[in-house]
Amino acid sequence: MAMAGALLPVTVACSGSHPSASSAAVSPESPDRAGGPSPGGSAAGTSARSAVTGPVGVRHSLGGYQPLWPFADEAEARAWQESYHSGGHQPWHLDADQTALAFVRFLGFGEIDRVTSRTVRAADARVTVGYRSGETGESGTAAVLHLVRIGSAADAPWEVVGTDDTDLSLTTPAYGARVSSPLSVGGKITGVDESIRVEIRQRSTGAVLGRFCCIPAGGRNSAWSARVPFQGATDPVLTVVASTGGHLAAVERFAVTGVRSS
């Protein structure tokens, strides 16, 4: 998907399965109420932590990006910073890898449990998440998550704002568009014997507000589309998720975009 205006390009999707020597499997952790690792938890099994480069201590604003997870807005991020300063609450918000994997758990994709690569700068990160293939034992790429820092100071937390497109794209609805039910969704896919599932999710409750299963698809850069009814939206921002799999893992590729509820 592409965001209107002169802002950085935004999000959605994934590349095919391929091995990576830098794959870092993460052991399952008990989620807290925000859906992330338990307070004080570490990146268990992670071979390398995200390295922040460049200047920090400057203000990082969402700009035109949609706050998908874990914070609803900058005020909520500031509230976490205060709790972190006073009691060290949920330090995983400072780690782009852990935030990306916690978002995957929020989506319910249990087999996607590792970071295979990352590019992390002062206020912007791309974290590639993947799974272990039961057939080959190698790590497959499911999506490249885009995160930005939200708030100010060196301990500004990370926020998921979308995914980068490759073999699976989610171009309709437009990023940041105001939507209502039923929602027209669509994009393009490259693959063989694919079956695309679409969900509309709400951050505050974790609820699936609408679901469509499934859209048969395949070919090279082939168009796919569906109409997804949904109800019960109370958050201003909703996450639309398209996923496919079933060959090497239940979910092998996914794409997300952020929309505004009417």
Side-chain angles (χ1 to χ4, degrees):
M1 71 189 160
M3 183 168 59
L7 294 168
L8 295 173
V10 199
T11 57
V12 286
C14 44
S15 61
S17 172
H18 60 80
S20 172
S22 62
S23 298
V26 175
S27 302
E29 299 173 355
S30 300
D32 61 15
R33 292 178 60 190
S38 56
S42 63
T46 303
S47 61
R49 292 181 58 86
S50 299
V52 177
T53 60
V56 292
V58 296
R59 180 166 184 76
H60 309 300
S61 174
L62 282 175
Y65 289 123
Q66 302 303 309
L68 303 187
W69 198 88
F71 301 106
D73 50 33
E74 293 184 43
E76 196 169 282
R78 285 195 298 273
W80 168 79
Q81 283 178 291
E82 292 173 2
S83 70
Y84 176 70
H85 294 162
S86 62
H89 183 57
Q90 296 180 324
W92 60 271
H93 287 302
L94 298 176
D95 189 291
D97 285 10
Q98 289 198 55
T99 302
L101 289 170
F103 176 67
V104 171
R105 289 193 290 274
F106 164 75
L107 296 179
F109 299 155
E111 290 181 287
I112 301 172
D113 62 355
R114 62 199 61 209
V115 168
T116 61
S117 67
R118 86 275 291 159
T119 302
V120 184
R121 298 184 175 87
D124 186 278
R126 259 74 175 187
V127 177
T128 304
V129 294
Y131 56 91
R132 181 182 182 276
S133 168
E135 290 186 0
T136 66
E138 297 176 338
S139 293
T141 293
V144 180
L145 292 172
H146 184 193
L147 301 89
V148 299
R149 285 191 183 270
I150 174 174
S152 59
D155 60 357
W158 289 103
E159 179 82 6
V160 177
V161 295
T163 51
D164 286 347
D165 292 353
T166 54
D167 292 343
L168 173 64
S169 67
L170 182 52
T171 55
T172 301
Y175 186 79
R178 290 202 171 272
V179 303
S180 58
S181 180
L183 178 62
S184 294
V185 298
K188 293 189 176 181
I189 188 169
T190 295
V192 178
D193 192 25
E194 304 296 335
S195 182
I196 302 172
R197 176 191 298 266
V198 181
E199 292 183 342
I200 301 170
R201 286 182 168 267
Q202 178 167 272
R203 182 204 61 85
S204 65
T205 62
V208 177
L209 306 179
R211 177 183 289 118
F212 187 97
C213 184
C214 292
I215 308 157
R220 184 172 182 81
N221 206 29
S222 300
W224 64 270
S225 63
R227 284 173 67 82
V228 187
F230 67 94
Q231 60 181 356
T234 56
D235 290 5
V237 176
L238 306 177
T239 300
V240 184
V241 191
S243 62
T244 185
H247 303 98
L248 302 175
V251 176
E252 297 163 1
R253 289 179 286 174
F254 72 88
V256 304
T257 193
V259 295
R260 311 288 299 185
S261 60
S262 298

